[in-house]
Amino acid sequence: MLTISALKEELTSPKHILITTHFNPDGDALGSSLGLYLWLQSKGHQVTVVVPSEFPDFLSWMPAQEHILVYPKDPQTADSLIAKADFLFCLDFNHLSRINAMENAVRNAPGKKIMIDHHLAPEGFEDLAHWDSHAAATAQLVYDFIVNRMDDRQHISPEIAACLYTGIMTDTGSFRFRSTTAEVHLIVADLITLGAPNSKIHEKVYNSATEVRLRFLGYCLLNCLVVVPEYNTAYFLIRKEDVNRFDIMPGDTEGLVNYALSISGMRLAALFIDRSELIKISLRSIDEIPANEICSKYFNGGGHLNAAGGSSTASMEEVERSFRSILPLYKDYLIE
Ligand SMILES: [Mn+2]
């Protein structure tokens, strides 16, 4: 076990520190990791961020991203850093299966593990948890960790503020989701005060489409969208031939599901995409509609109440059929 005060004491002298985050890192995974990285580095520690897989292009402008080690590119170096770390910060995940090939190395590492996260149902691998499932983003918890636990707001540089701002902005859908409390706005205001270039960050993250990605969006809206008005549900079915035709990368469907939810009156939205071995599923909902329960019960996944994901090895036709057969079970939620 490790306490916050013991950790604070330990961090007064230089340490070897490893930071990692989940597979397919998103804005919060990277923003929280790089924000913490820059802060720990400013305190004189030897720090490395190791990610289990590549991150998307729309985050390639982030401060210090050039120092990130992508695990599959150099597993030997990464394994030795994991083994010699005094502290391993695990950000934006709470099950070690979320770091894929790094799982065993991190699980067996002798260093103390600190989990900072906002997802439900932690596995409990850590020595210290800074965990709150009501937090809007892990970046919010990193802000709280630095400011309130380590009492070090004064060392939040404009670059650190930019990283944390990006994490909160992306995980709240630009401060729209229900998780966006008054406290979140106060934190974000403080990050702007500390130098986060907010409008620049919005522009970099959201005006980053490629031509092919925008044409793919148009194609999906025209050809792949199915609306089920009686259940206030809309979904996209993206088949293998659509993926091939546009040479779609994993990050290219990011946010697509939200277009289905943007139709007036829709309460549940889904995206089904054929990724060869698997159909990948993203769900978005509003109010109390439990997207995470639907994903964990029927599609081998999970997530947050209003944003969840899963997968299936069945055919697209079967996945669509089972999704449509689930809708009547949730009719009290779906029909107001
Ligand atoms: Mn997050």
Side-chain angles (χ1 to χ4, degrees), residues 28 92 118-119 138 171:
D28 187 33
D92 205 34
H118 66 135
H119 294 89
T138 295
D171 255 25

Side-chain angles (χ1 to χ4, degrees), residues 34-322:
L34 291 171
L36 184 66
Y37 167 85
L38 290 166
W39 177 74
L40 287 166
Q41 219 185 26
S42 77
K43 312 300 284 180
H45 302 290
Q46 202 75 45
V47 200
T48 315
V49 177
V50 182
V51 295
S53 66
E54 291 280 3
F55 50 87
D57 274 352
F58 71 88
L59 299 171
S60 60
W61 58 273
M62 291 193 70
Q65 53 78 28
E66 65 275 17
H67 300 302
I68 293 176
L69 180 55
V70 180
Y71 186 81
K73 285 188 175 169
D74 190 356
Q76 276 90 7
T77 303
D79 282 342
S80 78
L81 288 164
I82 291 167
K84 80 169 180 203
D86 301 303
F87 296 102
L88 300 98
F89 282 88
C90 297
L91 301 191
D92 205 34
F93 70 95
N94 59 37
H95 276 253
L96 287 174
S97 60
R98 298 279 288 130
I99 55 174
N100 290 29
M102 296 171 63
E103 175 172 355
N104 286 332
V106 170
R107 193 182 293 284
N108 300 327
K112 296 256 191 244
K113 299 170 191 86
I114 299 118
M115 179 266 279
I116 305 182
D117 178 59
H118 66 135
H119 294 89
L120 295 168
E123 170 192 335
F125 64 84
E126 71 280 350
D127 299 286
L128 171 64
H130 188 56
W131 175 80
D132 180 1
S133 66
H134 296 294
T138 295
Q140 178 188 344
L141 295 172
V142 169
Y143 172 92
D144 179 64
F145 177 79
I146 296 172
V147 173
N148 300 319
R149 307 304 159 115
M150 299 293 121
D151 301 311
D152 202 34
R153 181 182 176 279
Q154 64 197 38
H155 284 107
I156 296 186
S157 65
E159 289 73 30
I160 296 172
C163 291
L164 300 181
Y165 184 96
T166 304
I168 299 172
M169 178 189 83
T170 53
D171 255 25
T172 57
S174 288
F175 319 112
R176 286 185 297 132
F177 299 159
R178 287 205 313 170
S179 54
T180 316
T181 58
E183 190 199 352
V184 170
H185 280 288
L186 289 170
I187 290 172
V188 159
D190 194 36
L191 291 171
I192 295 171
T193 305
L194 290 162
N198 53 316
S199 72
K200 220 179 213 132
I201 293 172
H202 284 258
E203 192 185 304
K204 285 195 160 132
V205 170
Y206 296 115
N207 294 352
S208 62
T210 56
E211 182 186 341
V212 64
R213 187 176 160 177
L214 207 64
R215 293 194 187 280
F216 172 67
L217 167 64
Y219 175 88
C220 292
L221 293 172
L222 190 62
N223 301 300
C224 307
L225 179 65
V226 182
V227 181
V228 193
E230 63 273 29
Y231 288 113
N232 298 315
T233 295
Y235 59 93
F236 289 100
L237 287 181
I238 301 169
R239 295 164 199 285
K240 195 73 222 157
E241 55 267 29
D242 306 324
V243 174
N244 293 340
R245 180 173 164 176
F246 288 90
D247 191 21
I248 283 310
M249 298 295 157
D252 288 340
T253 53
E254 181 81 39
L256 183 57
V257 61
N258 297 314
Y259 284 93
L261 202 58
S262 74
I263 302 169
S264 176
M266 291 299 122
R267 297 175 54 76
L268 178 64
L271 171 75
F272 303 97
I273 182 164
D274 191 334
R275 291 284 184 200
S276 299
E277 324 83 71
L278 282 177
I279 307 288
K280 298 284 277 175
I281 297 147
S282 300
L283 278 195
R284 297 290 182 273
S285 66
I286 60 168
D287 298 341
E288 301 300 326
I289 301 166
N292 51 359
E293 183 192 297
I294 297 172
C295 282
S296 65
K297 259 192 176 162
Y298 304 100
F299 300 114
N300 317 301
H304 303 287
L305 181 70
N306 295 136
S311 63
S312 172
T313 50
S315 70
M316 190 63 104
E317 287 64 35
E318 288 171 62
V319 171
E320 181 183 17
R321 210 176 310 126
S322 64

